[in-house]
Amino acid sequence: MDDSAYDELVSSLTPQESGGGVTSYRNTVSVACPACEEPFDDLVVVHDDETPLELSRMLDICVSRHDGDVLLFTHRH
Ligand SMILES: [Zn+2]
């Protein structure tokens, strides 16, 4: 994902929490997931590959990357 796409994406989302190498955003306006083009629920930006994540609540995840960060797009069905 390039910088302009990333900036546009994040500007549409609601910041939720950050810390521990992770920043999460809530998708309140049904932005389409860049990977599967279905609206996602949350974007989790992982700034540190070593960060442990609680993924048990995430049933379906699409993954992208930006500048070495891992972007997790979560879908709850
Ligand atoms: Zn997706």
Side-chain angles (χ1 to χ4, degrees):
M1 179 176 291
D2 64 28
D3 285 344
S4 62
Y6 178 80
D7 289 344
E8 185 178 330
L9 176 71
V10 169
S11 70
S12 302
L13 304 177
T14 304
Q16 219 177 358
E17 54 186 294
S18 62
V22 172
T23 305
S24 61
Y25 301 87
R26 182 164 291 273
N27 182 10
T28 58
V29 292
S30 297
V31 177
C33 171
C36 72
E37 301 183 351
E38 294 287 330
F40 58 94
D41 293 297
D42 296 296
L43 166 63
V44 180
V45 180
V46 182
H47 307 291
D48 179 352
D49 282 344
E50 303 299 316
T51 301
L53 291 174
E54 295 176 31
L55 295 177
S56 59
R57 66 194 172 93
M58 300 175 185
L59 299 179
D60 199 355
I61 297 172
C62 294
V63 179
S64 185
R65 282 188 165 269
H66 171 259
D67 267 359
D69 292 343
V70 179
L71 312 180
L72 303 177
F73 298 89
T74 72
H75 298 274
R76 294 188 198 96
H77 296 289

